[in-house]
Amino acid sequence: MFALLLAASVPLAAQTPTLTIYTYSSFASDWGPGPAIEQAFEAECDCDLQWVALDDGVSILNRLRLEGDNTKADVVLGLDNNLLQAAEDTGLIEPHGLTPAGLTLPGGWSNPYFLPFDYGYFAFIYNTERLATPPASFAELLKRPELTLLYQDPRTSTPGQGLLLWVQKLYGDQAPDVWQNLAKRTVAVTKGWSESYGMFLKGEADLVLSYTTSPAYHIEAEQQHQYRAAAFEEGHYMQVEVAGKIKGSSQPELADRFLRFMTGPGFQRHIPAGNWMYPVIDTELPTGFDELVIPAQALSFTAEEVASQRKQWLRQWLAATTR
Amino acid sequence: MAASVARRHHPLMPLRLWWLPGSLSTGTILLLTAAPITALLVQGSADLSPLLRDTYLRHVIWFSFYQAALSTLLSLGLALPLAQALSRRRFPGRTLLLRLFGLTLVLPVILVVFGLVAVHGRQGWSNRLLEWLGVEPVSYLYGLTGILLAHVFFNMPLAARILLQSIEAIPASQWRLASQLGFNSRQLFRWLVWPAVRAALPGLASLIFMLCFTSFATVMALGGGPKSTTLEVAIYQALRYDFDLPLAGSLALLQLLFCGAFLWLQYRVSKPPAFRGEAQPCCPRHDARWWHTRLTDTLVMTLALSIFLPPLLAIVTAGLNPQLLPALVSARLWSALSQSMVIAIGAGLLSVLLTTGLLLTSRHLKLREGRRRLAGGLEAGGSVILVLPAVVLSTGLFILLRGVADVFALGPLLVILVNALMAMPYGLRTLQQPMEQVVLRYDRLCASLNVRALDRARLVEWPLLRRPLALALALAVMLSLGDLSAIALFGNQHLQTLPWLLYQQLGSYQMTEAAATALVLLTLNLALFLLIEGVLGGKHAHAD
């Protein structure tokens, strides 16, 4: 009986290859876009897509570095534009060799190792029922010490790193003073986005670092309109989330196929109301997106700038927040 | 001479093999500790001065010392009046309370953190009480306050129990004399209580300081950011956040130096305090009837119990919530439960095996060959983990194995090994004396009755040692069941134990799920402890 089962299962297993994708937990979770995308891709690839959920984008990179050549991943999904150089430097990413058509991403895309799957802008989210007048600029945030906030550790999370770069872009050499100012009213610096957003929803702080698109979730999924992004005059830092293929993957063709699928409608239509970010091709947006703040200016550093300065900026942040 | 010849013919095993179990144990321990340390030394730089110039790391080191000193001061500052109050008062539930006090040593830290969050968090009991009183809710749990609350929770009861033992060791005749002389409370303290507790204090202080200095789970869960980071957590972060191997190596080396220094200091100032043994009630103290001792005792007991009891109650009451049923049947919880069981029981058995192996050889050396120094060295080797925090050991293993194997695939095995080593000092302390007693009392009898090898193990050693063996196993299983440091490093989506799951749920504010996990962890802890002590230890395991 056992042998029969074994005999029956072996060819079955051989017929469905597994594509392992490292991503961050909110992407793969039941309320994220992961399950729907998995279903859509499996319907056409005749394969088994397995998400491996790590804490955050930076955790994906660090896991790759820890595992080195032993990594089980075929594809990594959820690194961002600020980690491109560092990820390439691991030597674990294979050039994708694709030129997807119809990308509507601001500024276009030309990186040979990674392809974008969504983008957005970092912002502080507040609750109108608790905070009547939100700060209208970063400068105003710094001038109002009564405002408490939550953000993420830039060593482990992409939004946290986004804030690091945002402050660096706006204040340059003055960044340590800004961090010290913020440190006084920071309720907690959490490891990942989910932790701080959960704490914010429980009323632990006035503001939480997230995205301009986060309120769309509350409007669409919960019909709640009290959560808004504070629009800052100076502009908002932009994030492009990307995916890449692992060198030495046992499923190179499946990985290619997934990357092609990723910039198509079958994947992209799950992004706005699944990951609550902007899709990278022309896709219909839910009506909740009409209420969102559109940043006056999108700020960014180049991948090389981030790669060369990141470590020093992190040290500055650490030193300033603990002083 | 004749006696020694007779003994030589009838030991537990063939004489030429007496060295085998101890050598196997010591070899395993040395391999598992020396190799990772070497790996760290190679990675890290021996020149620690650039490390000490870094502002952030200086802050981390300073904070590690600062919070440990404060924790020690607060724990002892509360424990001393608490021990006084307990020695003066008899009340219903006193014995149960003292038993609970003994339990904190093996309670999983993350479980207590759950209780603390439920009581002191923004949505917790204390804020609901304030709200009811019309006061704005306050946020104080994340950061130094939370860390101190947890450390006092763990160490105050332990210290109070040990100090109570010292106070109750004061002979009744001295109390009678003091009463006849009409001593007031200051004189009582000066002439009776202080001399009794003074001997225990330095050892107790250094033990608590070291436990708090190397605290990991508490700081991870309640630190609330880089501001409140200890060296132990910084090592973990250097490896898992930044993948900075040289930094992790140097930090681990630093931690090793500090812990070595503490242990040396502890060794110099005192003997380690005894963990077990119920205090013997002495005669009623004449100062118990005074109104001002009544007042202070009530105040002290109220304060101490308001720190100690609510988190424990919260774990249980959160578990009696009807919303919990769906959380209790989640697949993640049950897979974490089964992995926890495998790891804890595996680590427990391995730990007891290593400990008994080591003691078989060391007792032979000490009692039959008279080579005390060698035996002592062997036993000290088993306690080496005291200077080697689990994070340091795991980090070394991680770096060592990274190049040759898939560290995450070996995860469960490595966690078992590290946990087994972590429990060895407790096992040695529990088993050493009983095992030596067997040799001292029954070697001659066994020789004269010609009871040898397996017969001796079955007829003599097992009945005499099953109780301490069960206790050692139960302690090791409980310690492993609560471990967060090894699992934090080696854990991944396929390897998840209950404490790790609880840590993640607490981190993402899933309080209902966390309550379910906490309840399961607590139940498993108590069930395994009672089962091991009751079944393996025999019927009279509790009649101490």
Side-chain angles (χ1 to χ4, degrees), chain B residues 294-518:
Chain B
R294 267 173 218 239
L295 186 70
T296 49
D297 286 356
T298 315
L299 281 176
V300 166
M301 300 273 285
T302 313
L303 181 62
L305 294 186
S306 67
I307 295 174
F308 183 72
L309 288 180
L312 288 179
L313 280 176
I315 300 169
V316 180
T317 51
L320 302 176
N321 187 327
Q323 291 174 322
L324 272 174
L325 230 53
L328 273 174
V329 294
S330 91
R332 259 179 102 193
L333 179 65
W334 290 98
S335 113
L337 173 75
S338 62
Q339 291 193 328
S340 272
M341 296 256 293
V342 170
I343 286 176
I345 292 172
L349 290 174
L350 182 64
S351 185
V352 169
L353 198 71
L354 287 173
T355 312
T356 41
L358 198 144
L359 285 172
L360 276 178
T361 298
S362 84
R363 78 172 183 187
H364 176 94
L365 276 173
K366 190 191 280 180
L367 303 173
R368 297 197 188 116
E369 307 275 329
R371 298 169 72 176
R372 296 192 155 266
R373 194 166 283 190
L374 191 59
L378 214 57
E379 281 158 21
S383 296
V384 73
I385 191 77
L386 282 177
V387 265
L388 207 63
V391 165
V392 173
L393 184 63
S394 313
T395 307
L397 280 173
F398 200 111
I399 294 174
L400 187 71
L401 293 174
R402 201 182 85 83
V404 287
D406 179 354
V407 183
F408 290 101
L410 288 176
L413 201 66
L414 295 174
V415 173
I416 288 178
L417 283 175
V418 172
N419 286 351
L421 285 184
M422 261 165 33
M424 275 199 72
Y426 298 91
L428 283 170
R429 200 167 285 172
T430 314
L431 282 168
Q432 186 190 13
Q433 283 197 344
M435 282 182 69
E436 286 177 9
Q437 287 299 315
V438 175
V439 165
L440 287 174
R441 288 197 193 154
Y442 297 97
D443 256 16
R444 259 164 214 256
L445 186 66
C446 288
S448 61
L449 296 177
N450 201 17
V451 178
R452 321 169 58 163
L454 280 178
D455 278 340
R456 174 174 161 137
R458 187 170 58 86
L459 295 171
V460 181
E461 306 262 356
W462 171 246
L464 288 168
L465 291 179
R466 63 186 288 183
R467 259 177 61 194
L469 271 174
L471 181 64
L473 180 65
L475 280 176
V477 165
M478 291 205 33
L479 282 170
S480 171
L481 212 52
D483 164 68
L484 203 65
S485 14
I487 193 73
L489 215 57
F490 297 113
N492 55 51
Q493 68 284 350
H494 303 301
L495 177 61
Q496 203 163 42
T497 58
L498 285 173
W500 187 232
L501 182 64
L502 182 54
Y503 168 72
Q504 289 180 325
Q505 287 167 336
L506 276 173
S508 49
Y509 256 68
Q510 295 168 290
M511 291 311 274
T512 319
E513 288 79 1
T517 312

Side-chain angles (χ1 to χ4, degrees), chain B residues 63 67 70 74 116 120 139-152 218 222-223 228:
Chain B
F63 184 79
Q67 62 83 16
L70 269 183
L74 285 174
L116 286 171
H120 299 282
S139 207
Y140 57 88
L141 185 63
Y142 296 94
L144 183 62
T145 347
I147 295 174
L148 290 180
L149 266 173
H151 285 170
V152 169
T218 307
L222 296 176
S228 317

Side-chain angles (χ1 to χ4, degrees), chain A residues 52 62-63 65-67 70 72 153 155-156 188-189 191 195 199 202 204 311 315 317-318 321-322, chain B residues 54 56 59 122-123 139 224 226-227 237 240-244 398 402 405-406 408 493 507 509:
Chain A
V52 171
N62 286 334
R63 175 56 69 93
R65 288 166 156 168
L66 284 173
E67 291 181 338
N70 285 316
K72 303 273 190 302
D153 194 320
R155 293 171 297 172
T156 40
V189 177
K191 206 162 133 212
E195 284 110 305
M199 286 172 90
K202 296 262 179 178
E204 297 269 351
K311 206 160 183 174
R315 295 226 147 260
W317 169 76
L318 275 174
T321 45
T322 51
Chain B
D54 185 295
Y56 169 62
H59 173 85
R122 184 89 176 192
Q123 315 287 318
S139 207
K227 205 179 170 88
Q237 286 173 341
R240 291 265 334 222
Y241 283 20
D242 308 329
F243 188 58
D244 192 338
F398 200 111
R402 201 182 85 83
D406 179 354
F408 290 101
Q493 68 284 350
Y509 256 68

Side-chain angles (χ1 to χ4, degrees), chain B residues 172-187:
Chain B
S173 59
Q174 290 196 16
W175 286 112
R176 274 193 296 274
L177 189 64
S179 168
Q180 281 158 11
L181 292 172
F183 274 12
N184 62 25
S185 40
R186 189 178 304 161
Q187 286 165 326

Side-chain angles (χ1 to χ4, degrees), chain A residues 220-298:
Chain A
E220 288 292 320
E222 302 172 336
Q223 284 76 50
Q224 291 188 321
H225 293 259
Q226 76 267 39
Y227 297 104
R228 301 231 179 103
F232 281 4
E233 283 166 8
E234 299 95 335
H236 292 245
Y237 201 88
M238 185 177 164
Q239 181 186 40
V240 182
E241 295 197 283
V242 301
K245 177 183 155 187
I246 297 292
K247 202 179 274 178
S249 147
S250 55
Q251 302 291 342
E253 276 142 44
L254 263 183
D256 283 337
R257 194 162 169 186
F258 180 82
L259 289 183
R260 274 198 298 275
F261 171 79
M262 190 176 78
T263 47
F267 183 107
Q268 289 294 316
R269 65 191 165 88
H270 298 293
I271 288 298
N275 213 29
W276 305 99
M277 295 283 275
Y278 291 108
V280 293
I281 60 169
D282 204 9
T283 307
E284 198 188 338
L285 296 175
T287 49
F289 274 65
D290 299 343
E291 294 180 36
L292 300 181
V293 163
I294 306 285
Q297 202 191 342

Side-chain angles (χ1 to χ4, degrees), chain A residues 100-117:
Chain A
L103 289 187
T104 55
L105 184 75
W109 191 257
S110 60
N111 187 288
Y113 291 92
F114 290 97
L115 283 174
F117 64 89

